[in-house]
Amino acid sequence: MSDFIKEVWDSQARQFGQSNYASWGDIEMINLEVQNLIKFIPKNSIILDIGCANGFSTKMIAERVSPSQLFAADFSQEMVNEAVRLLGNITGTNVKVFQSDIRAIELASESVDVCLATRTIINLPTWGDQIKGIEECLRVTKMGGVVLLSEGFWEPLVKLNALRQIFGLTPLAEHDFNRYIKQDKLEVFLRSRGLNYEIVEYSSLYYFGSRIARELATDYLSFEGYSNPINSEFATLAHKYPKCGGIGIQQLVVIKKL
């Protein structure tokens, strides 16, 4: 992890503490993400959330699936400090929060039932680093377990920007600290490992509303951040109808370790 990327998240933790804004201001997208992640997490399982940030969504997930053991780790010590405070009051679950690099996770091989990474692989600076991160997630997951990667993808961004161009909207840019995954490359890698996987499109309708319709249907500049009410309306629809032409930058990769 480059010092620049680490400093971004250290700064976010210092500025926003235990708020969702430490990882992402888009609370509707976080809710949608959590709803889809928990579909693949058995109750009472051993979970690792690698790249947990301040633990905001980690806590949401834990409260819904009641893990027997919860490991939460992040590269940023500032984020870990916040996660310790936020996750310390989860009842009925043995919680361990620690600092770790996703490319060298400080857990034994085959020690968790579920390893999840939310917008973590995209913070790695190169494709080689991203592969290392995915391989580490696979290493620590038990046979019969599952790796869940909720990450940003390049191809949906291209499609989304093509639609924005049709409507005369400026293209959305990739943040300097993100390296969106190329789906083609990922699938070649997963197939080369003989892995059983699926890619779940769960955010496209929400992205259509919050990244296109928002600017066409409302005075969007009068709303700060992601507070435009059209976002919540499209989020409600997206919980029922997530697919919309593959334009949701966030996609969920479900890898079953068989």
Side-chain angles (χ1 to χ4, degrees):
M1 190 81 72
S2 72
D3 291 341
F4 160 69
I5 296 172
K6 181 177 180 296
E7 178 52 37
V8 167
W9 297 114
D10 284 345
S11 175
Q12 287 289 105
R14 289 191 293 266
Q15 182 176 358
F16 295 109
Q18 297 175 25
S19 165
N20 67 283
Y21 279 87
S23 60
W24 200 1
D26 194 344
I27 187 61
E28 300 290 358
M29 187 61 236
I30 292 173
N31 288 332
L32 194 60
E33 182 175 61
V34 168
Q35 174 194 298
N36 281 274
L37 283 167
I38 63 174
K39 293 176 182 177
F40 300 95
I41 304 177
K43 289 185 178 293
N44 302 313
S45 55
I46 302 172
I47 298 174
L48 166 64
D49 185 355
I50 182 68
C52 67
N54 64 354
F56 184 89
S57 62
T58 315
K59 184 176 182 181
M60 293 173 66
I61 291 167
E63 289 173 342
R64 287 160 173 79
V65 302
S66 302
S68 60
Q69 170 82 59
L70 173 63
F71 295 104
D74 199 271
F75 187 76
S76 163
Q77 184 61 54
E78 298 283 352
M79 286 291 192
V80 169
N81 295 342
E82 297 299 334
V84 167
R85 289 188 279 270
L86 192 59
L87 301 176
N89 60 356
I90 297 177
T91 58
T93 297
N94 184 12
V95 180
K96 180 181 179 181
V97 185
F98 58 101
Q99 184 182 26
S100 187
D101 188 327
I102 192 172
R103 295 166 297 184
I105 302 172
E106 296 174 18
L107 285 177
S109 298
E110 299 193 20
S111 57
V112 302
D113 301 304
V114 178
C115 179
L116 63 98
T118 56
R119 290 164 278 114
T120 302
I121 299 295
I122 58 173
N123 286 160
L124 299 173
T126 70
W127 172 236
D129 288 306
Q130 291 178 340
I131 288 176
K132 287 181 183 178
I134 296 169
E135 288 179 332
E136 275 292 278
C137 290
L138 289 164
R139 179 187 65 80
V140 301
T141 302
K142 298 176 183 179
M143 294 301 294
V146 63
V147 173
L148 302 173
L149 308 175
S150 181
E151 299 287 345
F153 280 82
W154 176 255
E155 290 89 345
L157 175 63
V158 173
K159 289 182 180 180
L160 188 64
N161 278 335
L163 278 177
R164 286 178 62 87
Q165 184 177 21
I166 289 171
F167 290 111
L169 305 175
T170 57
L172 301 177
E174 194 178 30
H175 289 295
D176 290 343
F177 50 85
N178 285 337
R179 297 292 182 271
Y180 287 155
I181 297 170
K182 306 296 194 302
Q183 184 173 330
D184 287 346
K185 280 188 174 183
L186 176 65
E187 294 202 68
V188 167
F189 165 71
L190 295 176
R191 287 195 297 268
S192 73
R193 291 284 305 271
L195 294 166
N196 183 300
Y197 72 93
E198 64 175 306
I199 299 178
V200 180
E201 179 187 357
Y202 73 90
S203 68
S204 290
L205 187 60
Y206 177 68
Y207 267 88
F208 179 81
S210 61
R211 272 66 170 182
I212 294 177
R214 176 197 67 151
E215 295 183 41
L216 299 174
T218 72
D219 179 14
Y220 73 97
L221 292 177
S222 64
F223 298 97
E224 184 177 356
Y226 297 93
S227 64
N228 194 312
I230 203 170
N231 288 9
S232 62
E233 293 183 27
F234 269 90
T236 299
L237 287 171
H239 284 286
K240 295 181 179 180
Y241 312 106
K243 295 183 179 181
C244 188
I247 62 171
I249 294 171
Q250 288 295 125
Q251 307 277 334
L252 174 57
V253 185
V254 181
I255 308 170
K256 296 178 181 178
K257 189 173 177 183
L258 304 176

